[in-house]
Amino acid sequence: MSNLERTNTNENRNSKSELHINVKDVPFHLCKETLAKRSAIVSSLLERNEIDELRCILRDIEADPETFELVARFCYGYKVKFTSDNIVSVLCMAYYLGMNEEHSTDNLLGKASSFLETRVLPCWNETVNALRSGDKSLDKLAEFGLVDLFFDSLIEKASYDPRLLGEPIKNREENSEYRPNPRRRLFDNDWKSEDLITLPLRFYEPLMIRAMESRNIPVEYIVSSVCSYTKKWVLDAEEYSVSVKKREVVEAVERLLPHKRGLISCDFLFKTLKHSIWLEASSDCRNGLGIRVSKQLDMAKPTDLKILTQGYGERGAQSCFEDIQLVRTVITSFYSNYTKEEDTEEDVSHFVKVARLLEEFLLLAASESSLKLEAFVALGEITVAISLGVLRYSDGVYRAVDVFLERHRYLTESEKMEACKVLDCKKLSRQGCEEAAKNQRLPLRIVVQVLFVSQLQIRDTVAKEIKGIEDKVDVEEEEEEEIGVWSDEDEMDKMSEKLLGMEIENHECVVHRWKKKTKKISVWRQVKRKFGCLPSTSSSSSADACTCDVKNNKKKKIHHHYK
């Protein structure tokens, strides 16, 4: 028996003023007059002799025994201990019982309001805890805007310190841990404690919407909180059955997530999309998540694509590569984002990344011994279609085929040919052809095709090399001819200038003889011989002949002159 029950038993035994009431099967024996001194509603019911209506009031506000005992103790003069866990329910009961200052001074409603204002709202932890604990009672106080009061308090604190919502998903180059601003130590004692993801969805969603509308909180932190909320209530939930609660959470998360690339991890998006299909969420929810996945497909990893192929339910993670159609749908949605007639360099880089991603994913799938032949062929056809016109070689597909044949040694020859039909031997690189030609796991027909392609590559390579050598020789010959012509012209110009400056009388003879021998004897060397700068060898006779001719001419001219 509690102190309250003992006091009431001693003071009001066998009294007609005693009130017997059960609150959720917990009996209370109280004095009517004692309650009426603090409660205007109880006083009014006593005056009208309708005290039994008190049971209906308590039932309507869904009063719990702990809160009712606390209110009764206050009426009996005991000291009441307020906490963030009980403050909302105390406020609710004090309001509906009329325990205000108009009925009695220093009443319960005023004390609870003061505690909420001075001890709860200034502190992040206490505010979150009060909002979570007063889930049911807050509905009864909706007309007073108490929920908005909590929301405004939390958003104000998150604007000052966004990390209260959680660390951003993107890895930032920040080595030092966060420390609150020393000039504003309003709530640094508990800045890393309570998490908003513990709130019910009906509080969490409008709170996040209001946080985004405030534009004072970076969207990265809001996204981090939304992702954490999804992991707690959907992705990491122990219950594997389809539930309405999970479906509501997934649909709310889709409404909260932004569409900007890179803000959300691919792993989270792929898992959420998979769960939205399993939980039979609305078409708007599934389509919205699919669009977000396709927008950053080039940023995904092979393990992310593996999530899409998993089965559903409790054994979903163990049954991989069952849903190939979802992969095809996501890829189709990815290319629908690029509808321009001309692709930019950035678009082409995205296409290359996705093509590489599909090759790596096909290799990952081929390494699974449980992968069926039909599923491998389907994934291979998707990979080949994506790499068409994007990747020059198909060595990645060859490696996947090789791994698949190695992990599935029991395949027949016809089944091996079925697996190899996704391999285009003409797109193998030289190294790929060399490896494939020696691969004993490949069917003989494929090896023959590889050898044929290899011979064609060798022929083309030799032809290109020969053509390159011929082109190089032609270019060198043209350059030599141009150099020879220019050198002869330069020497001619220099020689003409020297001959004009030296006033040689028989320059016509020198030039004439130089022209005759310009192809065999250097011009400058011939001139130096003429002037006696070089010793005469076999060609001295020609030089003398030239000199004699000049002398004879002179003599002839002189003789003719004297006549």
Side-chain angles (χ1 to χ4, degrees):
M1 181 181 295
S2 64
N3 295 332
L4 177 62
E5 290 174 331
R6 286 197 296 267
T7 302
N8 185 63
T9 302
N10 294 332
E11 293 182 359
N12 302 293
R13 185 173 295 174
N14 298 325
S15 175
K16 294 182 180 181
S17 62
E18 186 176 358
L19 173 65
H20 300 275
I21 190 171
N22 290 341
V23 179
K24 292 186 177 180
D25 298 330
V26 178
F28 287 90
H29 307 284
L30 305 172
C31 177
K32 300 177 183 178
E33 286 76 10
T34 304
L35 295 178
K37 290 179 181 179
R38 289 292 189 178
S39 172
I41 298 299
V42 173
S43 177
S44 176
L45 292 176
L46 285 177
E47 291 177 1
R48 301 196 307 267
N49 199 20
E50 297 176 353
I51 193 60
D52 292 338
E53 293 293 328
L54 180 61
R55 298 182 177 86
C56 298
I57 295 175
L58 296 177
R59 184 173 59 250
D60 291 341
I61 64 175
E62 300 181 9
D64 60 274
E66 293 79 11
T67 305
F68 185 74
E69 180 179 358
L70 188 147
V71 172
R73 291 174 65 84
F74 176 80
C75 294
Y76 275 86
Y78 289 99
K79 184 178 180 180
V80 177
K81 182 179 180 181
F82 297 119
T83 64
S84 58
D85 292 321
N86 62 27
I87 187 61
V88 176
S89 56
V90 169
L91 277 170
C92 180
M93 188 173 294
Y95 170 73
Y96 277 93
L97 293 180
M99 303 177 72
N100 49 43
E101 299 298 319
E102 296 178 358
H103 181 73
S104 175
T105 58
D106 202 19
N107 213 338
L108 182 61
L109 187 60
K111 288 181 175 295
S113 300
S114 176
F115 180 84
L116 176 68
E117 182 180 1
T118 58
R119 300 290 299 277
V120 175
L121 294 179
C123 181
W124 173 270
N125 275 1
E126 301 300 326
T127 304
V128 174
N129 194 34
L131 185 60
R132 180 180 61 246
S133 303
D135 181 10
K136 298 179 180 179
S137 300
L138 284 171
D139 291 338
K140 312 300 178 182
L141 301 174
E143 58 182 301
F144 299 98
L146 195 58
V147 174
D148 294 334
L149 190 64
F150 282 116
F151 286 177
D152 293 339
S153 175
L154 292 174
I155 292 174
E156 180 184 359
K157 296 175 178 59
S159 300
Y160 165 80
D161 176 13
R163 297 197 184 191
L164 290 168
L165 300 179
E167 292 293 333
I169 296 176
K170 297 177 65 176
N171 295 325
R172 298 179 181 272
E173 298 179 355
E174 296 177 357
N175 297 324
S176 60
E177 296 183 358
Y178 172 78
R179 291 292 182 270
N181 189 341
R183 296 183 179 181
R184 296 182 61 188
R185 302 270 183 177
L186 296 180
F187 25 78
D188 64 328
N189 291 330
D190 59 328
W191 64 275
K192 228 176 183 179
S193 301
E194 288 291 344
D195 202 333
L196 294 181
I197 64 175
T198 59
L199 295 176
L201 179 62
R202 66 191 193 94
F203 289 151
Y204 182 81
E205 183 179 8
L207 175 60
M208 290 295 102
I209 293 176
R210 186 172 297 190
M212 288 186 288
E213 292 176 349
S214 68
R215 300 182 182 276
N216 294 325
I217 305 174
V219 67
E220 293 85 356
Y221 296 91
I222 298 177
V223 169
S224 174
S225 179
V226 173
C227 293
S228 299
Y229 194 88
T230 311
K231 291 178 181 178
K232 176 177 177 60
W233 297 104
V234 179
L235 304 183
D236 296 340
E238 297 180 357
E239 182 184 1
Y240 289 100
S241 60
V242 178
S243 63
V244 177
K245 182 178 180 180
K246 286 184 178 181
R247 185 186 304 120
E248 291 176 349
V249 171
V250 169
E251 293 176 351
V253 165
E254 190 278 327
R255 292 190 292 266
L256 292 173
L257 290 177
H259 286 267
K260 186 178 180 181
R261 275 172 49 93
L263 287 177
I264 313 168
S265 67
C266 293
D267 176 77
F268 172 81
L269 281 177
F270 280 67
K271 288 181 179 179
T272 308
L273 173 60
K274 195 67 179 179
H275 276 77
S276 68
I277 298 173
W278 173 48
L279 296 172
E280 300 178 352
S282 64
S283 59
D284 292 340
C285 174
R286 298 195 302 269
N287 294 336
L289 291 172
I291 292 173
R292 291 175 177 85
V293 167
S294 65
K295 280 186 176 181
Q296 56 186 61
L297 183 61
D298 57 293
M299 304 168 64
K301 298 180 294 185
T303 51
D304 297 330
L305 280 178
K306 185 179 179 180
I307 297 172
L308 297 182
T309 64
Q310 293 177 353
Y312 299 93
E314 185 175 357
R315 300 185 60 186
Q318 287 75 26
S319 55
C320 297
F321 307 105
E322 291 186 357
D323 192 359
I324 307 300
Q325 181 59 36
L326 184 56
V327 176
R328 183 179 288 106
T329 302
V330 169
I331 294 174
T332 304
S333 179
F334 165 76
Y335 281 100
S336 66
N337 296 323
Y338 302 91
T339 57
K340 301 177 182 178
E341 296 181 359
E342 296 183 359
D343 298 324
T344 62
E345 293 184 1
E346 184 178 3
D347 296 344
V348 173
S349 67
H350 292 171
F351 298 155
V352 173
K353 289 179 181 178
V354 172
R356 296 291 187 193
L357 171 66
L358 265 294
E359 283 190 347
E360 295 175 3
F361 175 63
L362 183 63
L363 181 62
L364 175 65
S367 63
E368 296 285 341
S369 57
S370 60
L371 181 66
K372 297 180 181 179
L373 176 61
E374 295 78 8
F376 176 78
V377 173
L379 288 175
E381 290 175 347
I382 296 173
T383 304
V384 172
I386 293 301
S387 61
L388 187 63
V390 177
L391 300 181
R392 182 177 181 182
Y393 299 114
S394 61
D395 290 7
V397 177
Y398 161 71
R399 295 188 184 92
V401 171
D402 182 35
V403 171
F404 181 78
L405 296 179
E406 183 181 3
R407 294 299 180 92
H408 301 76
R409 297 179 180 271
Y410 55 85
L411 295 177
T412 63
E413 194 70 15
S414 60
E415 289 175 337
K416 289 181 179 180
M417 284 298 301
E418 181 70 15
C420 291
K421 77 177 186 178
V422 300
L423 178 61
D424 186 1
C425 298
K426 297 179 181 179
K427 292 188 65 177
L428 288 176
S429 65
R430 181 181 299 179
Q431 182 180 359
C433 285
E434 293 177 359
E435 295 178 2
K438 302 174 184 178
N439 195 335
Q440 298 180 358
R441 286 184 290 270
L442 294 177
L444 182 59
R445 188 182 302 176
I446 300 299
V447 175
V448 172
Q449 293 180 13
V450 171
L451 290 173
F452 179 72
V453 172
S454 181
Q455 293 297 323
L456 292 178
Q457 290 180 348
I458 294 174
R459 186 192 66 182
D460 295 340
T461 302
V462 172
K464 289 180 181 178
E465 290 180 355
I466 293 175
K467 188 177 184 303
I469 293 174
E470 292 177 350
D471 295 341
K472 185 177 180 181
V473 170
D474 293 340
V475 171
E476 290 178 353
E477 290 180 352
E478 292 178 359
E479 291 178 352
E480 289 178 356
E481 291 179 358
E482 292 178 359
I483 292 173
V485 172
W486 284 106
S487 62
D488 290 345
E489 292 180 355
D490 292 340
E491 291 181 359
M492 286 281 289
D493 294 338
K494 293 178 181 179
M495 187 60 196
S496 299
E497 292 177 0
K498 290 181 179 180
L499 292 176
L500 291 173
M502 297 176 66
E503 296 181 354
I504 299 176
E505 294 182 0
N506 59 341
H507 65 276
E508 294 179 357
C509 176
V510 176
V511 174
H512 176 71
R513 298 203 174 204
W514 175 80
K515 285 183 178 180
K516 289 183 178 181
K517 297 183 179 182
T518 184
K519 296 182 179 179
K520 296 182 179 181
I521 303 174
S522 173
V523 176
W524 179 237
R525 187 177 183 84
Q526 181 68 15
V527 172
K528 288 198 289 185
R529 283 200 183 112
K530 289 290 185 180
F531 294 134
C533 297
L534 292 177
S536 60
T537 57
S538 61
S539 61
S540 59
S541 60
S542 62
D544 295 338
C546 180
T547 308
C548 293
D549 292 339
V550 173
K551 292 179 178 179
N552 292 332
N553 290 335
K554 288 183 177 180
K555 289 179 179 180
K556 290 180 181 179
K557 290 180 181 179
I558 295 171
H559 178 72
H560 178 73
H561 176 72
Y562 278 104
K563 284 182 179 183

